[in-house]
Amino acid sequence: MRQPLVAGNWKMNGSRASIAELLDGLKAGIGNVRTVEVALCAPAIYIPDTQVQLDGSAIKWGGQDVSVHAAGAYTGEIAAAMLTDFGCHFVIIGHSERRAYHSESDALVAEKFAASREAGLVPILCVGETLEEREQGVTEQVVARQLDAVIAHCGIDTVGEGVVAYEPVWAIGTGKTATPEQAQEVHAFIRGRLAANSQTVAEGLRILYGGSMNPKNAAELMAQPDIDGGLIGGASLKAADFLAVCAAANR
Ligand code: PGA
């Protein structure tokens, strides 16, 4: 039985004050969500504040990106060990915004996955097609390419130590959610791809859905057999919404 995971991705939003308020609300409400693993991926500069507020609570935290390098002359980069130094459990890897706006290639994403695991972080590997790719009917090819690059570089067992998030790019921040059937189809494809390498990894690995998941559509999506939780952008910025999504994942 895979434990559901709901991870918030604040992206580049918030201030010290707004994050303190949000975390107060989340800590107050999270008690009712018992069977779900819950995490928040904060902008790097707010990770120390997040750690101070979440320490000792049931909520874990993480980063939104990481360097492939362990240390050294890499101005502006943040190493995986720096994230663990501040208690991070998770890190988002290969988010479509990083692939699109920061030219992250499949190969670089695979290296980031490896660097995260080496430092003991649990990487949340994002995969997903653009609207154009979906319309061309190449969704499965795109997702397979993104996944295979990490399997080839890290090995299937290391991939099994992480989490995969299927995030159709056309559904991110647009209010357009994939239907439960559309999402399930790709999730099942991903699990099948993993199974071709290792049945054990395929059965144990959590595959999250991300892309305009909110309190209204979360339960229906989470009810799909291969959807094991969510990666939540917009709805993670409001305590009530995020808690409602966590409650929908409660099994
Ligand atoms: P969204 O973002 O929930 O705002 O669509 C999800 C994500 O990009 O991780």
Side-chain angles (χ1 to χ4, degrees):
M1 183 74 175
R2 297 180 292 270
Q3 185 190 20
L5 167 65
V6 176
N9 173 11
W10 290 342
K11 308 193 179 184
M12 199 177 72
N13 291 296
S15 61
R16 296 188 85 176
S18 74
I19 286 171
E21 197 185 322
L22 178 57
L23 290 173
D24 278 343
L26 292 173
K27 280 199 295 182
I30 204 66
N32 303 326
V33 180
R34 299 189 186 283
T35 60
V36 183
E37 188 172 28
V38 177
L40 298 165
C41 296
I45 199 164
Y46 294 131
I47 289 174
D49 280 6
T50 303
Q51 177 185 31
V52 167
Q53 264 191 282
L54 291 183
D55 227 358
S57 81
I59 308 175
K60 299 183 169 104
W61 58 95
Q64 300 175 2
D65 182 34
V66 71
S67 176
V68 294
H69 305 290
Y74 303 102
T75 303
E77 293 268 271
I78 293 178
M82 295 173 177
L83 294 177
T84 56
D85 208 9
F86 282 88
C88 286
H89 187 82
F90 292 100
V91 63
I92 298 171
I93 301 286
H95 190 280
S96 63
E97 287 150 15
R98 296 217 54 92
R99 292 180 191 261
Y101 310 144
H102 301 274
S103 308
E104 292 201 5
S105 65
D106 294 334
L108 184 80
V109 171
E111 283 185 51
K112 289 189 171 189
F113 194 104
S116 310
R117 278 310 302 142
E118 275 157 31
L121 289 164
V122 176
I124 302 176
L125 169 68
C126 299
V127 298
E129 82 288 3
T130 62
L131 181 60
E132 203 183 2
E133 288 162 341
R134 175 159 281 264
E135 285 170 350
Q136 285 166 2
V138 295
T139 297
E140 291 187 353
Q141 281 98 306
V142 170
V143 168
R145 193 200 71 223
Q146 293 171 335
L147 194 61
D148 289 353
V150 185
I151 297 173
H153 184 75
C154 302
I156 187 66
D157 290 335
T158 300
V159 170
E161 293 163 357
V163 173
V164 171
Y166 168 56
E167 298 209 305
V169 179
W170 48 273
I172 295 177
T174 58
K176 275 191 218 162
T177 322
T179 64
E181 295 72 27
Q182 277 175 324
Q184 167 57 27
E185 204 181 345
V186 182
H187 281 236
F189 171 77
I190 292 170
R191 206 174 298 287
R193 195 93 187 164
L194 294 165
N197 292 273
S198 161
Q199 193 62 38
T200 315
V201 167
E203 277 165 21
L205 191 128
R206 292 175 293 184
I207 308 175
L208 315 182
Y209 169 80
S212 299
M213 196 187 259
N214 60 46
K216 290 202 182 80
N217 58 32
E220 239 193 333
L221 286 157
M222 309 271 197
Q224 299 299 312
D226 288 301
I227 300 185
D228 306 313
L231 184 55
I232 318 298
S236 71
L237 296 169
K238 287 192 196 136
D241 286 0
F242 188 70
L243 289 168
V245 172
C246 293
N250 221 357
R251 283 180 183 154

